[in-house]
Amino acid sequence: MDFGLVLPTMPKGATAEGIEAAAEVAQRLGYSTVWTTDHVLVPHSAAADYGLIYEALVTLAYVGARHSGLRLGTSVIVVPQRNAVLLAKELASLDALSRGRVIAGIGLGWNELEFANLGTADRFHLRGPYVEETVRLWRHLWSGAEEPVEGRFHTIRDFVFGPLPAQGADLPILLGGRSEPAVRRAGRLGDWYQATSSSPDTLAQRIPILREAAEAAGRPMPRLSVRVNVRFGDVHGGFYAISGAPEAMAAEVGRFGDLGVEDLAIAFGETDPERVVAAAERFDREVVARLRVAAH
């Protein structure tokens, strides 16, 4: 199993120093990927979590230039709030500049007021179709094809697209989501599927749906990823996290592995540079080390 680190790009308290410390410790400990979160202009009702948040792709460009051993993933970028062609250009450029390290994680979004703040209120109730067309559009552009595009949201007749991603049309597209339609969409279209704040039992219920949708579309089963909160000791408050004693935490990671999860994106819930580093080092020392021993 590969481990990834969700960069502390939010909430209040997030700093460039914290982001840099997280990226440094991720590379030093052998994590495969760093991940960013996407919101742009949330209303006050969501300010506690997303009022302060560093832009997802700019952050990855900064981190990717400084840490060449890390893959760069979005977890997840809210596609219907953005221009899909401009996003295709940004992701292709980042992949070309980073020599093929991008994972394009995308989602539908959930905050209707944020859509309105960004001038995309008309897309809120069309999020699913917009994302599906975007995936097809990206693969078309990233392949180097120049045939016209005639879609519901995009009509492009005369265009040249470059640079192409280093990974070309194989640049992996990751889809998130918890609802059954979202899981089926990931199976039909995604190279990866990422569950968020979901226990192994919850994920186990989604896997047959994901596999069925992939098979019906004639596509391989998406690579399984989970974005999960990690907290040392007992957790209160009703949200799912890998928590408890080190033995229990290692066992929980093992349960994800038994389901076929290949990538675990970890959020420690810290923004202070020293606390981020300490949490990552402790997880490596107390939990990952146990998994290494068990693997041998």
Side-chain angles (χ1 to χ4, degrees):
M1 181 184 293
D2 289 340
F3 292 97
L5 184 60
V6 178
L7 293 172
T9 59
M10 60 176 198
K12 186 177 180 180
T15 63
E17 292 78 13
I19 292 167
E20 171 59 26
E24 187 279 329
V25 75
Q27 180 157 301
R28 175 161 54 84
L29 294 177
Y31 282 37
S32 66
T33 311
V34 287
W35 302 88
T36 52
T37 309
D38 180 45
H39 280 283
V40 179
L41 199 64
V42 298
H44 282 89
S45 58
D49 290 327
Y50 306 115
L52 187 156
I53 181 168
Y54 286 74
E55 202 281 326
L57 294 177
V58 171
T59 302
L60 289 180
Y62 170 81
V63 168
R66 297 170 66 88
H67 300 279
S68 61
L70 295 170
R71 299 194 75 183
L72 311 169
T74 51
S75 174
V76 291
I77 201 159
V78 183
V79 164
Q81 289 181 350
R82 299 178 179 239
N83 180 292
V85 176
L86 179 57
L87 262 178
K89 171 73 79 172
E90 291 169 334
L91 290 163
S93 297
L94 182 58
D95 197 61
L97 291 167
S98 67
R99 308 300 194 270
R101 289 187 280 143
V102 172
I103 302 164
I106 65 175
L108 274 65
W110 53 270
N111 195 306
E112 189 168 2
L113 288 174
E114 185 177 17
F115 274 71
N117 289 345
L118 295 172
T120 56
D122 57 327
R123 286 192 204 145
F124 183 79
H125 296 290
L126 300 171
R127 303 191 308 284
Y130 190 87
V131 164
E132 296 197 16
E133 184 171 302
T134 293
V135 171
R136 293 189 290 269
L137 172 66
W138 285 358
R139 290 197 171 119
H140 184 76
L141 294 174
W142 293 342
S143 73
E146 295 187 0
E147 290 81 11
V149 174
E150 298 281 350
R152 180 175 178 179
F153 304 99
H154 304 90
T155 300
I156 310 172
R157 297 194 176 94
D158 183 359
F159 65 92
V160 178
F161 184 91
L164 297 179
Q167 298 177 90
D170 293 327
L171 192 162
I173 297 175
L174 173 154
L175 279 83
R178 303 178 187 180
S179 68
E180 183 171 332
V183 175
R184 291 192 180 279
R185 183 179 298 109
R188 289 197 313 272
L189 299 174
D191 302 302
W192 293 38
Y193 168 69
Q194 187 176 77
T196 302
S197 300
S198 301
S199 70
D201 290 341
T202 299
L203 179 61
Q205 297 172 13
R206 297 177 189 163
I207 289 174
I209 300 170
L210 190 68
R211 181 175 291 111
E212 178 187 337
E215 290 176 352
R219 292 181 51 81
M221 174 73 176
R223 182 181 179 101
L224 292 177
S225 173
V226 177
R227 173 172 169 156
V228 64
N229 293 305
V230 168
R231 302 290 186 269
F232 299 98
D234 295 329
V235 169
H236 304 283
F239 68 94
Y240 173 76
I242 294 177
S243 62
E247 298 88 345
M249 297 170 78
E252 192 76 346
V253 174
R255 292 180 66 205
F256 281 118
D258 291 342
L259 291 172
V261 173
E262 297 182 66
D263 294 86
L264 201 65
I266 297 167
F268 289 111
E270 303 285 359
T271 57
D272 176 79
E274 292 184 2
R275 293 176 68 88
V276 170
V277 171
E281 290 178 338
R282 181 179 178 185
F283 185 76
D284 186 73
R285 182 176 64 249
E286 297 184 4
V287 179
V288 178
R290 294 174 186 274
L291 297 168
R292 294 193 193 104
V293 171
H296 292 86

